[in-house]
Amino acid sequence: MVTTHNLGFPRIGPKRELKAALEAYWQGKSTRPDLEATGLQLCQSHWQEQKSLNYIPVGDFSFYDQVLDMSATLGNLPERVKGWDGHELDNYFRVARGQSVNNSKDDLCCGGVQAGEMTKWFDTNYHYIVPEFSQETTFCLNPMRLLTECLAAQKMGHSIKPVIIGPVTYLWLGKAKDGCQKLDLLEPLLIVYSELLDQLANIGVEWVQIDEPVLVTELDHDWQHALTLAYHHLKSSRVKLLLATYFGQLQDNLHLASTLPVAGFHLDAINASSEIMPLMGLLPSHRILSLGVINGRNIWKTDLKKLLGWLTPIYDKIGDRLWIAPSCSLLHVPVDLNNEDKIPSEIRSWLAFALQKIEELKVVATALNEGQEVVQDVLDANEQDMNARRHSSLAHDPAVKKAVSSHVTTDSQRQSPYAIRAKKQAEFFKLPLFPTTTIGSFPQTAEIRHARSQFKKGMIDEVSYRKIMYREIEFAVHEQEKLGLDVLVHGEAERNDMVEYFAEQLEGYVVSQFGWVQSYGSRCVKPPILYGDIRRPRSMTVDWIKYAQSLTKKPMKGMLTGPVTMLNWSFVRDDQSRTNTCYQLALEIHKEVLDLEQSGIRIIQIDEAALREGLPLR
């Protein structure tokens, strides 16, 4: 029988319940027991929603960040937060958020300390709190959070699989504050990991998922050797270890991964499909092979018949040794598609959020274990949705495809070299040697958000809404003039989000109501869904920028979000290459640039805040 499991579940709740609970606690409007009760309710709900799986993840829930959770479990919080009064959760938040409004050493919330550094989790838009190391770093096990969650899930009758970050990835993710060698800390760190695994074994845990995504990066000999040392040290544990990788291919780490002495190995079969057969050939005949067959990074339905076409022969070959799961934690997708009632039904039929992906996994397992005929109706309906999407006029626009295919190299080349352009621009603008400007948006005040909400609900008309936004633009322009800035911006009061604002005006995009994913802590983002060929039916920014320019004699910048950021901060269609989709976005944004130029706007800023997410991990 094939075994099903999940690497992690979205923690924020279908309606961002965690966000509300966290912010109420931070603002002193609720108590710590209130927050902890909400956390337990969310955990219990998540476990129940995954009950169809053979193993459910435990420990994937976090009040802020799973890497910070691991630091707390290992007793590796920075020295600057030690010695404060109050509950350990307050110290946890001090590291996460730094100084808060409440600076007193009491039990209410955070005191005033520097927050931990935050950076992107591999190539995702999730952010983690960077572990800090020094020559003085020591580790001391604090397992109560994880043990408490495990016991609560076991009490509900669930078969559990605790999730922890592996020791080598943990060190790799951190930063040495005094130039120490991080790998020098491996030996004492492994002692604490062994203690943790032993305590999990004591409460009846059979399997532990230990995440080592560092294996999909380029590792030198020292880091590769550290993985070997680590898992030879941990192999005597009384629990079975499922070593999980995700987000990429193993490449030159493939042989190393296959030799690590663990009970099972998880491979991201979405991003590393070419490595499935080589890995099968290298793994010992007793080792579990877990394949991440459902995309945990995107929101499109899985082509179930296509998946079963290549997965069934693998199951026939290795039988009970096969486990199946999403490719990575479902942290990176929204919770439940059933909450969406404004996405057009045709597009909705192509989508799968976290709960729907769990159902897909169940269908695949049933087909493998009991035969495809048992779920034939589901497979046929899925095939119908796949075919409908493949031939949908909503998704496919021949004119857009022709425009991309006819794009030539000269279209992306400047007509004159920089030296000539710079001279002409200097003569035209007559700016000082070091011109001053600001990046773009002014704060989105409560008044702006209220006006936007009223407009979307139909409580005020467009004329009234524009008057309010014009007042905000006037304020932004006048404030910049008082400050003496040389190049002005209009403040972007009319924009709800730098990506969603443009997505709402481009054909080929749809915006969800509740498609939230966690970026960090209580910060959630709602990536728009790029489902089809991109077309700009009308200008998107010209009227606002022209109005702003009419208020001043100084140059006003046109402000646009770039195509790479639009791509990387969206849920992007998977039925054509990302390159083609990016070209489509670039062509439409180029049209907006031309419209701004024709409207008299001579400086245009294109923001590419998400370049890093698109970079390869190697």
Side-chain angles (χ1 to χ4, degrees), residues 26 59 84 191 200 202 269 302 402 417 428 443 452 494 507 567 613:
W26 294 335
W84 287 81
I191 293 172
L200 290 170
N202 287 341
T302 302
K402 181 179 179 181
F428 180 84
R452 184 178 299 116
E494 80 286 357
E507 293 177 359
L567 187 82
E613 285 94 319

Short mmCIF file of all heavy atoms in Angstrom, two decimals, residues 26 59 84 191 200 202 269 302 402 417 428 443 452 494 507 567 613:
data_model
loop_
_atom_site.label_atom_id
_atom_site.label_comp_id
_atom_site.label_asym_id
_atom_site.label_seq_id
_atom_site.Cartn_x
_atom_site.Cartn_y
_atom_site.Cartn_z
N TRP A 26 -0.33 41.48 20.29
CA TRP A 26 0.73 42.49 20.26
C TRP A 26 0.22 43.87 20.68
O TRP A 26 0.96 44.67 21.24
CB TRP A 26 1.34 42.56 18.87
CG TRP A 26 2.08 41.31 18.48
CD1 TRP A 26 2.63 40.40 19.31
CD2 TRP A 26 2.33 40.85 17.15
NE1 TRP A 26 3.23 39.39 18.59
CE2 TRP A 26 3.05 39.63 17.26
CE3 TRP A 26 2.02 41.32 15.88
CZ2 TRP A 26 3.47 38.90 16.14
CZ3 TRP A 26 2.43 40.60 14.76
CH2 TRP A 26 3.15 39.40 14.90
N GLY A 59 4.10 20.24 14.28
CA GLY A 59 5.26 21.09 14.46
C GLY A 59 5.45 22.05 13.32
O GLY A 59 6.35 22.90 13.35
N TRP A 84 15.13 38.81 30.31
CA TRP A 84 13.90 39.60 30.37
C TRP A 84 12.85 38.85 31.19
O TRP A 84 12.79 37.63 31.19
CB TRP A 84 13.36 39.87 28.97
CG TRP A 84 14.16 40.88 28.21
CD1 TRP A 84 15.33 40.67 27.55
CD2 TRP A 84 13.85 42.26 28.05
NE1 TRP A 84 15.77 41.83 26.97
CE2 TRP A 84 14.88 42.83 27.25
CE3 TRP A 84 12.81 43.07 28.47
CZ2 TRP A 84 14.88 44.16 26.89
CZ3 TRP A 84 12.81 44.41 28.11
CH2 TRP A 84 13.84 44.95 27.34
N ILE A 191 24.21 16.77 19.53
CA ILE A 191 23.86 16.22 20.85
C ILE A 191 22.43 16.62 21.21
O ILE A 191 21.63 15.80 21.69
CB ILE A 191 24.86 16.71 21.91
CG1 ILE A 191 26.25 16.12 21.63
CG2 ILE A 191 24.39 16.34 23.31
CD1 ILE A 191 27.35 16.69 22.52
N LEU A 200 11.03 12.51 21.53
CA LEU A 200 9.92 12.18 20.64
C LEU A 200 9.65 10.68 20.66
O LEU A 200 8.49 10.24 20.65
CB LEU A 200 10.23 12.66 19.22
CG LEU A 200 10.22 14.18 19.02
CD1 LEU A 200 10.78 14.55 17.65
CD2 LEU A 200 8.81 14.75 19.18
N ASN A 202 10.11 8.77 23.14
CA ASN A 202 9.51 8.46 24.44
C ASN A 202 8.00 8.65 24.46
O ASN A 202 7.31 8.03 25.28
CB ASN A 202 10.14 9.34 25.53
CG ASN A 202 11.56 8.91 25.87
OD1 ASN A 202 11.97 7.79 25.57
ND2 ASN A 202 12.31 9.82 26.48
N ALA A 269 9.37 15.81 -6.64
CA ALA A 269 9.21 15.23 -7.98
C ALA A 269 8.68 16.24 -8.99
O ALA A 269 8.61 15.94 -10.19
CB ALA A 269 8.26 14.03 -7.92
N THR A 302 -3.77 19.26 -10.41
CA THR A 302 -2.85 18.27 -10.95
C THR A 302 -3.55 17.48 -12.05
O THR A 302 -4.72 17.11 -11.92
CB THR A 302 -2.40 17.31 -9.84
OG1 THR A 302 -1.80 18.08 -8.79
CG2 THR A 302 -1.41 16.30 -10.37
N LYS A 402 1.03 35.80 -30.92
CA LYS A 402 1.68 36.29 -32.14
C LYS A 402 2.60 37.46 -31.83
O LYS A 402 3.72 37.56 -32.35
CB LYS A 402 0.63 36.72 -33.16
CG LYS A 402 1.22 37.21 -34.48
CD LYS A 402 0.13 37.59 -35.48
CE LYS A 402 0.75 38.10 -36.78
NZ LYS A 402 -0.31 38.49 -37.75
N PRO A 417 23.41 54.95 -27.33
CA PRO A 417 24.17 54.55 -26.14
C PRO A 417 23.88 55.47 -24.96
O PRO A 417 23.38 56.58 -25.11
CB PRO A 417 25.63 54.65 -26.60
CG PRO A 417 25.60 55.60 -27.74
CD PRO A 417 24.29 55.41 -28.43
N PHE A 428 17.75 68.39 -20.78
CA PHE A 428 16.30 68.57 -20.71
C PHE A 428 15.84 68.87 -19.28
O PHE A 428 15.08 69.81 -19.05
CB PHE A 428 15.60 67.32 -21.23
CG PHE A 428 14.10 67.41 -21.20
CD1 PHE A 428 13.41 68.03 -22.23
CD2 PHE A 428 13.37 66.91 -20.12
CE1 PHE A 428 12.02 68.14 -22.19
CE2 PHE A 428 11.99 67.01 -20.07
CZ PHE A 428 11.31 67.63 -21.11
N PRO A 443 2.44 56.31 2.80
CA PRO A 443 1.68 55.35 3.62
C PRO A 443 0.21 55.24 3.20
O PRO A 443 -0.42 56.24 2.86
CB PRO A 443 1.80 55.94 5.03
CG PRO A 443 3.06 56.75 5.00
CD PRO A 443 3.13 57.33 3.62
N ARG A 452 -11.21 53.09 -0.21
CA ARG A 452 -11.12 52.00 -1.19
C ARG A 452 -12.15 50.91 -0.88
O ARG A 452 -12.79 50.36 -1.77
CB ARG A 452 -9.71 51.41 -1.21
CG ARG A 452 -9.53 50.33 -2.27
CD ARG A 452 -8.12 49.79 -2.30
NE ARG A 452 -7.17 50.84 -2.61
CZ ARG A 452 -6.22 51.26 -1.78
NH1 ARG A 452 -6.08 50.71 -0.61
NH2 ARG A 452 -5.41 52.24 -2.14
N GLU A 494 -3.94 55.41 -4.81
CA GLU A 494 -4.98 54.60 -5.46
C GLU A 494 -4.62 53.13 -5.55
O GLU A 494 -5.47 52.31 -5.96
CB GLU A 494 -5.24 55.15 -6.86
CG GLU A 494 -4.24 54.75 -7.94
CD GLU A 494 -2.90 55.46 -7.86
OE1 GLU A 494 -2.73 56.32 -6.97
OE2 GLU A 494 -2.02 55.16 -8.69
N GLU A 507 -6.00 41.79 -18.54
CA GLU A 507 -6.68 40.55 -18.90
C GLU A 507 -5.68 39.40 -18.82
O GLU A 507 -4.52 39.55 -19.19
CB GLU A 507 -7.26 40.66 -20.31
CG GLU A 507 -8.38 41.67 -20.42
CD GLU A 507 -8.89 41.82 -21.84
OE1 GLU A 507 -8.36 41.13 -22.74
OE2 GLU A 507 -9.81 42.63 -22.06
N LEU A 567 5.63 38.61 -12.28
CA LEU A 567 5.70 37.15 -12.45
C LEU A 567 5.95 36.46 -11.12
O LEU A 567 5.23 35.53 -10.75
CB LEU A 567 6.82 36.82 -13.44
CG LEU A 567 6.95 35.37 -13.88
CD1 LEU A 567 5.94 35.07 -14.99
CD2 LEU A 567 8.36 35.08 -14.37
N GLU A 613 13.61 36.15 -6.13
CA GLU A 613 12.82 34.92 -6.18
C GLU A 613 12.98 34.17 -7.49
O GLU A 613 12.75 32.97 -7.56
CB GLU A 613 11.33 35.22 -5.95
CG GLU A 613 10.98 35.51 -4.52
CD GLU A 613 11.00 37.00 -4.21
OE1 GLU A 613 11.92 37.70 -4.68
OE2 GLU A 613 10.10 37.45 -3.50
#
